[in-house]
Amino acid sequence: MTRLNQPTRPSAKTQLLQAEIGQIFHWAAARAAAAHDDPAATLEWAEYASKLAWRADPGFFFDAGLESTLSAIPVAQRARKWSAREVSLLPRRGAGKCVIHVLTAAYASGGHTRVVARWIENCTLWRPQERHVVVGTSQGMEPVPDWLRTAARQGGGALIVLDPRYSIMQRAMALRQLADAWADDVVLHIHPDDSASVSALAQPRRWKAYFLNHADHVFSLGTHLCDVMLDLRWSGASASLTERSSLPVNQMLPIPMEALKMGDRGKRRAESRRALGLHDDVIVAITVGPEPKYKPSMGWDFCAAAAAILKSAPRLHLFAIGIPNQGKWHKLHRDTNGRFHAMGLIQNPKVLRDWYSAANLYFEGFPFTSVTAMLEAGLHGLPMQRFTNRVAPLLSGDDVSYEDLCPAAATQEEYISHAIALASQSPGTWEGLGHAITRSIENDHCGESWSKNWLAAIESPASDAIADDRLSQHAPADRGLQHAAILEWQLENTGIAPSLNVLKSSSHLSLKRKFAIIRKLLAQPAPLIERSSRRHLTTLARPVILAFTPKAVAGFLKSRQSRASSEVRFPDNKL
């Protein structure tokens, strides 16, 4: 059994798997480079390689060679010979700056989509001369949230969704046309595998490209070709400066948030508790995040920690928002006499605000935290119990604003003891600490101060790279172990081989390229394709081969019966 105070290192098997994932990545990147006469093939291979590296950490965060391959695609030249109908949807340019925010897809659940909306809402108030357009490049049939559309309209711009019938190359050309026709600045809020959007960044261009590093714990395309890298927190900035491209200028830009109209905190808490059916004398702690972020990894086990905390704090009730009431969480509810509450996903924003308002404390979830949830808790005046993962700081919830006010526990045992101590403090102490946390977050994340202190700084021609002693405090002792730890957490949540998972979700890949990938993966030794995953892979291969060529079926099935999976032979097709 793992000791509570001794987080484990990633296993040797995880590190071996990581090396093999890197091999598959470089193989796919080489295919992208070799397809230079076929831009669509280059984009598809680049998307597959980066999607694999995003979903399963390969031991690095960017690849200059792959981005150079994308920059060589003549997107700008081809765009001048093709007309995207979306250009007609652009608003007229005004006297101020024109900014395009690029999203691969916008989601109602918030996340990086909410960041775009808050950025525009902030500028609408404090930079009314600017105009902001949001472009969704691969939205498909996913509905765009109304609040994003409203923010774009109120920001003097528009929300433009590219035609879902566009090919991958047409998406790149359409984005380039939009940027060339209208933008002074282009801010990428894209998925880490969005090869089409990244290829549109190729020089020469007259507009400035910013990359918002919202997925700072994983591999991303775009960090080599942008002009300015925008990091949201110290651990992300530390990784960018040491493990991403040295070409862009690195700047900090905290997540924009909306300041709350607090009023009387006590009155608001009482009203929220009445609405939720909570007694006034109960000490309420909340933690917010989807269940996969709480799945045990490397010796960190939130379920075990919660049990220990509740055992020593008899008046405390812990409400886990985002965790379903089933399995071990339901057992924890029974074992604590109903003082642990798995609330499941709460989609109603008003109800979620009531939970933040009703709570006394916030407990950071682990092993992978939800940073935005912590900022929301701080804005509601909740003292926070934090943790830090010394092996993989990128999985922790650091921020520019609240670190000095909320020290982080370095071990699970320390987290438990600090949380028990926090729960035993007086309401007056909680109120004073919560007020200080709120003021600090508002100063860095909200309103005019965010616009003047942070947004203005990244636009200055004299902008320099980030220089702060806190960067070293959030750097891992061993970068290789951090990568392996991230992969181990990812594997805990996929349940199948990452290469197979990525192949199944690669909807843009042509059948021809899927066939090539299947052949490559089956030739790999364990552990990249485990025996059970090989069976899944050959099952997946069947419809691909059927669609590719009917003659392949007999040979493929016969080879499966007569050879081991690693020796399956495919028909000799030109790929």
Side-chain angles (χ1 to χ4, degrees), residues 86-120:
E86 289 81 5
V87 173
S88 64
L89 302 177
L90 287 168
R92 296 177 62 181
R93 286 180 57 89
K97 180 183 293 187
C98 295
V99 182
I100 287 180
H101 298 266
V102 183
L103 286 160
T104 308
Y107 300 113
S109 57
H112 68 296
T113 308
R114 184 69 72 177
V115 169
V116 177
R118 286 172 175 157
W119 183 324
I120 297 173

Side-chain angles (χ1 to χ4, degrees), residues 354-485:
D354 278 340
W355 278 108
Y356 280 114
S357 298
N360 304 105
L361 307 170
Y362 186 87
F363 289 171
E364 179 179 3
F366 55 77
F368 190 7
T369 193
S370 295
V371 177
T372 305
M374 296 181 68
L375 291 171
E376 290 283 4
L379 285 171
H380 281 81
L382 301 185
M384 295 182 284
Q385 178 54 57
R386 298 176 52 235
F387 96 108
T388 184
N389 189 324
R390 298 298 188 197
V391 176
L394 284 169
L395 298 182
S396 308
D398 61 282
D399 186 71
V400 299
S401 59
Y402 52 62
E403 291 202 352
D404 294 337
L405 296 167
C406 305
T411 67
Q412 186 163 307
E413 190 173 70
E414 190 175 295
Y415 182 99
I416 293 168
S417 63
H418 288 188
I420 294 169
L422 183 62
S424 66
Q425 293 178 353
S426 68
T429 302
W430 295 334
E431 197 74 18
L433 178 57
H435 182 78
I437 293 170
T438 299
R439 297 285 81 78
S440 181
I441 292 176
E442 287 180 342
N443 188 57
D444 284 316
H445 293 268
C446 302
E448 187 178 14
S449 59
W450 181 80
S451 178
K452 287 186 175 180
N453 296 341
W454 295 102
L455 193 56
I458 70 171
E459 299 169 333
S460 170
S463 291
D464 294 321
I466 301 167
D468 193 284
D469 58 4
R470 280 177 283 189
L471 292 175
S472 60
Q473 298 173 19
H474 294 89
D478 185 318
R479 296 174 191 165
L481 283 180
Q482 173 165 256
H483 282 287

Side-chain angles (χ1 to χ4, degrees), residues 57-169:
D57 191 305
F60 46 86
F61 287 133
F62 93 107
D63 187 82
L66 183 56
E67 293 203 32
S68 296
T69 295
L70 292 175
S71 70
I73 298 174
V75 174
Q77 296 92 314
R78 293 197 176 199
R80 286 193 288 269
K81 302 176 184 178
W82 179 75
S83 179
R85 62 183 68 90
E86 289 81 5
V87 173
S88 64
L89 302 177
L90 287 168
R92 296 177 62 181
R93 286 180 57 89
K97 180 183 293 187
C98 295
V99 182
I100 287 180
H101 298 266
V102 183
L103 286 160
T104 308
Y107 300 113
S109 57
H112 68 296
T113 308
R114 184 69 72 177
V115 169
V116 177
R118 286 172 175 157
W119 183 324
I120 297 173
E121 288 163 356
N122 182 284
C123 291
T124 300
L125 288 174
W126 304 107
R127 297 172 167 224
Q129 74 280 7
E130 292 185 359
R131 293 194 174 187
H132 292 257
V133 162
V134 179
V135 176
T137 62
S138 300
Q139 189 69 28
M141 303 309 294
E142 181 81 17
V144 176
D146 290 338
W147 42 262
L148 180 62
R149 196 182 302 275
T150 299
R153 185 174 63 250
Q154 292 178 347
L159 188 145
I160 298 173
V161 176
L162 298 187
D163 191 327
R165 294 170 294 182
Y166 281 167
S167 69
I168 193 168
M169 185 61 183

Side-chain angles (χ1 to χ4, degrees), residues 273 283-287 316-320 355 359-363:
R273 289 199 173 199
I283 300 173
V284 174
I286 62 171
T287 185
L316 178 66
H317 283 246
L318 175 55
F319 294 83
W355 278 108
N360 304 105
L361 307 170
Y362 186 87
F363 289 171

Side-chain angles (χ1 to χ4, degrees), residues 24-25 27-29 31-32 41 43-52 498-524 528-529 534 537-538 540-541 544-545 548 570 575:
I24 295 294
F25 170 88
W27 169 79
R31 299 296 292 259
L43 290 170
E44 286 184 20
W45 280 116
E47 183 180 272
Y48 172 76
S50 54
K51 188 187 292 288
L52 175 61
S499 50
L500 175 59
N501 188 33
V502 169
L503 182 59
K504 291 174 70 176
S505 63
S506 297
S507 58
H508 296 141
L509 278 176
S510 68
L511 290 171
K512 180 168 68 173
R513 283 177 269 284
K514 283 188 177 181
F515 187 76
I517 292 167
I518 290 169
R519 185 166 61 183
K520 174 68 175 176
L521 296 182
L522 282 173
Q524 288 295 117
L528 181 62
I529 303 297
R534 286 176 184 272
L537 188 59
T538 51
L540 177 66
V544 174
I545 294 172
F548 186 70
F570 287 78
L575 299 174

Side-chain angles (χ1 to χ4, degrees), residues 273-295:
R273 289 199 173 199
R274 281 196 297 273
L276 297 172
L278 301 174
H279 295 295
D280 291 340
D281 60 345
V282 172
I283 300 173
V284 174
I286 62 171
T287 185
V288 180
E291 186 184 21
K293 292 193 173 185
Y294 294 86
K295 194 163 186 177

